[in-house]
Structures are given as structure tokens and as C-alpha cells.
Amino acid sequence: MTTDAILTEGPLDVLVLGAGISGIGAGHYLRTEHPSKSFAILESRDVAGGTWNLFKYPGIRSDSDLNTFGYEFKPWRDPQAIADAPRILDYLHEAITEDSLDDVIVYNRRATSIDWSEAEQLWNVTVHRNDTDEDSEAGDDFVITARWIFSGTGYYNYAEGFTPEFPGIEKFTGQVVHPQHWPEDLDYAGKKVVVIGSGATAVTLVPSMADKTEHVTMLQRTPTYVIPLPREDVVSNAMKKVLGAERGYALSRQKNILQQKIVFNLCQRYPKPARKIIRATNAAQLPKDFDVDTHFNPPYNPWDQRLCVVPDGDLFKAIRKGTASIETGHITTFTENGILLEDGTELDADIIVTATGLNLQLFGGMDIKVDGQTVDLSSTVAYRGMMLSGIPNFAMAIGYTNSSWTLKIGLLCEYFCRMLTYMDATEHTSVRAVADPAMPTRPLLDFAAGYVQRALDRLPKQGTQAPWTMTMAVSADVKQLRKGDIVDEYLDYRRAAVPAETASAV
Ligand SMILES: Cc1cc2nc3c(=O)[nH]c(=O)nc-3n(C[C@H](O)[C@H](O)[C@H](O)COP(=O)(O)OP(=O)(O)OC[C@H]3O[C@@H](n4cnc5c(N)ncnc54)[C@H](O)[C@@H]3O)c2cc1C
């Protein structure tokens, strides 16, 4: 187990926050592109893996195919393309071992605040100790220094999932469970379960629980687009067999990136035919008399929100078998025995699962200061989706919301490493993006999901033109990040010796 010594020996060149898929990926790029740099990965929990370790609900799996959700530098070899959490965690642990990241991950340490010192050209990072040992008490805070912060802290609050205020919830005599806080010993065998929600979590849970429960009902207010996809990608698996893991994986990635792009663009450009095709696919997998138009007909267009994938049509299979069903309606109140809907329907339940989402939170809720002044994130603008205006030496890992998150993280890491190389060569010690205050801005994420909409006014903004856009397309990011300029009119590089007031942009 790595100790605090790695943190306290002196300024780290880079402090990576979070040992999820983003932080581990950043560790790889630092190891390979900047082997002489000192860095540590601070992880607030006692394990690596982030999302893929936190969620413990039955069936927890990816929505994305792992040929694109995996790292560019590490082939995904498992035959499952839509993979369950244990397989993703195995892959991440392999990545940790292959890059000897165990030597640099410090667990149970949470960054609670970071404060940039312009005079020292350093971040002062307040670290909260989440565990105890013979020399320290849980809750002790200590301060460490780092030249750069790379924040791989994900996008939601780990402490608490989102549950709306349901009227009468206190009357319900059964058990209410949120998927983010799944009791590992929850016994649902032979029980009546209602899952509230229609997102990726609900459509994963319902078929996964259906074989054990007496019955499971998915209760949704608004339907989502649900697409059946094979769990195994036979073409990719064949390519890996014939061409070898490395080449087969590289080709599978290109194939799937192209596939995702085509589907996304077609849905956005031709929403009506796309809607018809999805409806026909759903109807073909559902019983003949099933009310497809009530339960699988969202009021928005395909890809205005993320589509839900069901591997091998498992949700449809459970509905066909009669072990699962869907109700679409509004809740009037929870009752002693379940839920009463506005149309008078009563749903009996022993267990109610509130698959109602996440609380969006950036940077683990950390306080970000520059020379002691707290930065109002909503007044910052994202630069190339990697930095925020006015915050020096700070990189953030926010991936795609319309395709695999990781596709963007790899490109961000490449740009970040090129920036470090340039700064070493030119002996600059800091860089910040400077936004024109008159620049038009728009919300950081163009995404209609509830958890995004609830948080938009607290989030940074994006501009309307490159390099200030938060692009959601690999091809645009290849231009903006892989090939993008490291020096431009918006980047203010500085050297330690130059006082802040007199420093000029390069
Ligand atoms: C159930 C579920 C399924 C998903 N499926 C997909 C999918 O199929 N495809 C897809 O593209 N995306 C998916 N996502 C989104 C997913 O979260 C990301 O794709 C990806 O896992 C995020 O990785 P990350 O490393 O950036 O963040 P996370 O996985 O959230 O990891 C962040 C890490 O940072 C740590 N941390 C946070 N704050 C601090 C701090 N202040 N100090 C130190 N450590 C800190 C956390 O403990 C955590 O370990 C899913 C999300 C959920 C919730």
C-alpha cells in the first residue's frame, strides 16, 4: 500500500485525483510520455475503479461497448463487448499492474480543497484522511503541493444518489433502496419489486432481478429509447482472432467509433425514421398485444438523451416471459403496500428501488481557489474541454455523454502530455486559458438528462467556437486535442521568475 510519503516528499509534478477509469488512464499516459515526472493518484475510497466499484446492484454493466470504452493503449480481450462491472474492474486492475500504478495510488485520501499560489506557481492541496492508522486519526487534514492537478473525479456525488421527494414515502412498510447504495445482502427472492426509473440503471436492474423475484415492475414517468444489442460483438471478436488482439482491437475501435457516429448523426438528422426503426425493433421483441406506444415511445427525439442498450434484448425477454412488466404513469403517493398512480393503478411492492439518478457534482465537490479566492465555476469557460478559464495548471477529465466516456479521456491525456512537454522545453511553470469576458457562452453539456439539467447553472460554460467548445465527437477532438495547437492566443504561459502582474502571453 502506497503511503503518504509519496505525497509529502515535495511538490509533485502532477497530482491526479481519482483512481477511476480516467485517473488510471492519466497514470498510463504520464508513465509513458513523462517517465521522469513525479506523480501520485489520490483516491478518496479504499479501492480503485470508481463507478465500476461503487455500484453493486444486480447486473451492473456498461452501456457502451468495451472496444470503445476501453483504453486505446490496452486491448479489450474479453468476448463480452457490453461488459459487467467485475470484468471492467479486472481490466482496470490489469492496467494498474501493467503501469505499476500501485506504487503511486494513495487510497483513503480525499482532496477537499486546492489553492493555486501564483507566487510559488504551485497548488496547495488540502487532503482529508478517510482512514486511521497508529499515527493518525481519521479526519486529519494535511496539505501537500503539486505543480499540476489532473482531476479524474467523475461527474457525480459519490455520497448520495438522487431521489425525488415522493409523497407518502414514509407510509411504505417495505424497503426502499437506491441503486447507488445497494445493500449487498438484499434478499429479493420471491418478492414483489417496483423499480422506479427508465434509464440505463432501471433497464439493467429489471431483467437482472426478474428471474428471482415474484414479479418486477418498471415504473416510469417518461419512456426512454431502448435498443437491443448483442452482448458479444462477433465481428470485433473475429477481427481479434484473425488479426491478433492489438490490431483486431484497434480496428474494432475504428469500426465502432464510426458506427456510433453514423447512428448518432442519422438519429439527429432524421429523427422521424429513426424513431420508426427503433419502434419496429422494440415491437418485434415484445408480445403481440404489448402497448409499445405507451411504454417505448419517448416524447423527445432519439439521442436527445442517451439511448439505453439492453444486451441480447434481456429486458424484452423478461417482459415476454411475464416475470417483468412496465407501467407508465405518474405517482400520486406511496402507500403502506406500494405505490398509487394518478390513473388509480395500485402497484404492490415489498421492495421499491428508486433508480432515479445521480446528483451531478464536478471535481468531487472540492473547493477550487486561486490565490485564496474561491473560483465560481459557473463563471469559467471550458478550453478544449480540458481546462477552465482562469484556473492555472488544472486539467479535467470529462468524457463523452453521447458515446464512450473514455474515447475523450485518451485524447485529453494526449493534449495534456504535449502541453507538459512544451512547458518543459520552454521552462514555463504555469499556463492558464484566458477567455474574453464578452465571448458568448452556452451550457457546458447539451444534454437533456435530468441530472444535467438540475445542475447546469452551477457548472462551467462552454463557448460557441473552437477551442472553447466541449465537443462530443471523436473527429472534432482529434482536431482539437490530438492535433490542436499547444500555443495559441488564449493560452497564457508563465515562468516562475516572472511576477504575475508583468507576465505576458506567449
Ligand atoms: C451505473 C453507471 C453506468 C455507466 N455506464 C457507462 C457506459 O457504459 N459508458 C460510458 O461511457 N459511461 C458510463 N457511465 C459513466 C461513467 O461514470 C464514466 O464513463 C466513467 O466510469 C467515469 O470514470 P471516471 O474515472 O472519470 O470517474 P469515476 O468512475 O466516477 O471515478 C472517480 C473517482 O474519483 C474519486 N474521487 C472523487 N472525488 C475525489 C476527491 N476529491 N479526491 C480523491 N478522489 C476523489 C472517486 O472516489 C472515484 O474513485 C456510467 C455511469 C454509471 C453511474
Side-chain angles (χ1 to χ4, degrees), residues 18 20-22 43-44 50-52 63-64 69 111 154-155 158 306 405:
I21 200 165
S22 301
E43 170 51 56
S44 85
T51 299
W52 303 103
D63 234 18
S64 304
F69 191 64
Y155 64 100
Y158 266 60
R306 207 175 169 114
W405 175 272

